[in-house]
């Protein structure tokens, strides 16, 4: 019997008996392995992309995924198993049922079609916290890709046997390839990591605004005047609205530019204003003060506040 004939016989049998079983341990494990590998690849790609755009702190670069791999192994594996059982296998089951009902046979291309629809629900959930066309499109593309890949591998495992070692093996090779390609792209200068612009004290002199009525005027002689600046740190400690008038201050003081030791990330604007909580001259920390951000054409002054592990930023622009 030829291969095509055997395939036709199997498809006719599936059409008569219904879709083959998908709820098995090997399918769950295969789907989880695919989700885990896909998550690692996504972290690599997004980490590289994020290192090229403006940020408040230096990125981990192309090797960022390697640094968080232990975290992914500890928490990502249980999450992948749950995601395979709760999301991937139901998707495979639904794709099979629809395929047999509509076409009379189990066709693999129904998996990406159903995954694309299921990804809409994930995108809607992401949109609650991160609205905007760009983030929503990225969320849909990522979730649809992860669901499609995991569902196809889980389906293949249900039909032909365990796929755990094969998935992890090819996934490991793909992760190494992505890392090497990314390192090569950055090494060749095709992409560059973001870094704050190098500034001077003369460039910082002038008037800066927070966009909400607060301004900071830096004189060329080292004097400073704040009008309606917001003390976000005090508001954070009080668990209050930072835009309240009680957290806005006006006063005069002094400022100085500190160029830093080695990189533009070390640059700081030291500020002390009477009547405000900003007094960076008395701090013993090298990173006290306002960091420099933005670009050469549009520099920014950034001040960190809130949780040290997940800080927020108060930004002033020209």
């Amino acid at each position: 019997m030829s291969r095509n004939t055997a395939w036709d016989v199997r498809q006719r049998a599936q059409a008569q008996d219904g879709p083959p079983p998908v709820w098995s341990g090997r399918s769950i494990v295969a789907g989880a392995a695919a989700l885990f590998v896909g998550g690692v690849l996504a972290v690599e790609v997004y980490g590289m992309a994020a290192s090229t755009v403006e940020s408040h702190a230096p990125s981990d670069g192309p090797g960022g995924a390697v640094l968080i791999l232990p975290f992914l192994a500890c928490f990502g594996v249980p999450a992948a198993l749950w995601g395979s059982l709760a999301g991937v296998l139901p998707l495979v089951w639904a794709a099979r049922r629809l395929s047999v009902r509509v076409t009379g046979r189990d066709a693999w291309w129904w998996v990406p079609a159903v995954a694309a629809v299921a990804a809409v629900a994930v995108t809607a959930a992401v949109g609650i916290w991160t609205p905007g066309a760009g983030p929503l499109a990225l969320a849909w593309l990522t979730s649809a890709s992860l669901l499609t890949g995991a569902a196809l591998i889980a389906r293949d495992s249900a039909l032909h046997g365990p796929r755990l070692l094969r998935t992890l093996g090819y996934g490991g090779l793909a992760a190494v390839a992505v890392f090497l390609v990314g390192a090569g792209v950055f090494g060749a200068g095709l992409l560059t990591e973001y870094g704050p612009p190098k500034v001077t004290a003369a460039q910082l002199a002038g008037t800066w605004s927070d966009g909400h009525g607060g301004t900071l005027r830096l004189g060329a002689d080292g004097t400073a005047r704040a009008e309606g600046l917001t003390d976000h740190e005090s508001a954070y400690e009080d668990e209050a609205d930072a835009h309240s008038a009680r957290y806005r201050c006006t006063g005069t003081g002094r400022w100085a530019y500190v160029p830093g030791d080695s990189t533009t990330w070390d640059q700081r604007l030291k500020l002390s204003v009477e009547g405000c909580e900003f007094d960076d001259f008395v701090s013993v920390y090298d990173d006290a003060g306002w960091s420099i951000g933005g670009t050469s054409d549009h520099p920014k002054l950034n001040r960190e506040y809130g949780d040290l592990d997940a800080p927020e930023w108060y930004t002033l622009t020209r």
Side-chain angles (χ1 to χ4, degrees):
M1 183 182 292
S2 67
R3 183 177 179 181
N4 291 337
T5 303
W7 186 85
D8 292 336
V9 170
R10 185 167 63 250
Q11 293 301 315
R12 285 196 296 268
Q14 290 179 5
Q16 294 173 358
D17 301 334
V22 65
W23 303 96
S24 64
R26 68 189 188 191
S27 298
I28 296 173
V29 171
L35 284 178
F36 180 79
V37 169
V40 173
L41 295 177
V43 169
E44 280 190 297
V45 173
Y46 289 155
M48 294 177 192
S51 68
T52 65
V53 299
E54 181 182 340
S55 62
H56 296 294
S59 68
D60 296 324
V66 177
L67 299 177
I68 66 172
L69 190 58
F71 173 84
L72 289 176
C74 291
F75 299 97
V77 171
L81 286 170
W82 181 87
S84 179
L85 179 60
V88 174
L89 263 64
L91 190 153
V92 176
W93 178 85
R96 285 184 171 183
R97 297 291 295 181
L98 287 171
S99 177
V100 172
R101 181 178 294 272
V102 175
T103 66
R105 60 191 180 91
D106 179 19
W108 69 267
W109 54 81
W110 278 85
V111 171
V114 175
V117 176
V120 174
V122 178
T123 305
V126 172
I128 298 176
W129 292 278
T130 312
L136 291 179
L138 193 59
W140 180 85
L141 180 61
T142 302
S143 56
S145 300
L146 288 176
L147 288 174
T148 297
L152 286 175
I153 291 176
R155 176 184 181 276
D156 186 60
S157 179
L159 289 173
H160 304 112
R163 291 292 184 265
L164 174 61
L165 296 181
R166 180 182 298 181
T167 301
L168 293 179
Y170 284 124
L173 291 176
V176 173
V178 170
F179 174 79
L180 293 177
V181 170
V185 168
F186 279 91
L190 300 177
L191 291 176
T192 57
E193 295 186 47
Y194 168 79
K198 180 64 177 178
V199 299
T200 63
Q203 290 175 308
L204 294 180
T207 302
W208 301 78
S209 171
D210 64 3
H212 299 282
T215 60
L216 174 64
R217 193 175 308 156
L218 303 178
D221 58 353
T223 59
R225 176 168 180 79
E227 295 185 5
L229 281 191
T230 301
D231 182 6
H232 283 79
E233 187 63 42
S234 296
Y236 175 82
E237 294 174 355
D238 295 343
E239 298 183 354
D241 181 9
H243 295 292
S244 174
R246 61 178 294 192
Y247 296 108
R248 288 187 174 271
C249 65
T250 298
T252 58
R254 59 194 177 102
W255 70 279
Y257 167 66
V258 179
D261 297 328
S262 57
T263 71
T264 55
W265 290 103
D266 298 328
Q267 299 173 107
R268 288 295 183 273
L269 168 73
K270 299 286 188 176
L271 177 66
S272 176
V273 177
E274 184 179 356
C276 299
E277 295 295 328
F278 307 125
D279 195 352
D280 303 319
F281 289 96
V282 300
S283 177
V284 297
Y285 298 102
D286 293 336
D287 59 352
W290 301 72
S291 61
I292 310 301
T295 63
S296 299
D297 296 331
H298 302 284
K300 299 178 182 178
L301 300 178
N302 301 309
R303 191 175 187 88
E304 178 182 341
Y305 69 94
D307 188 352
L308 294 178
D309 294 326
E312 298 185 65
W313 296 87
Y314 181 34
T315 300
L316 303 180
T317 58
R318 290 288 188 183

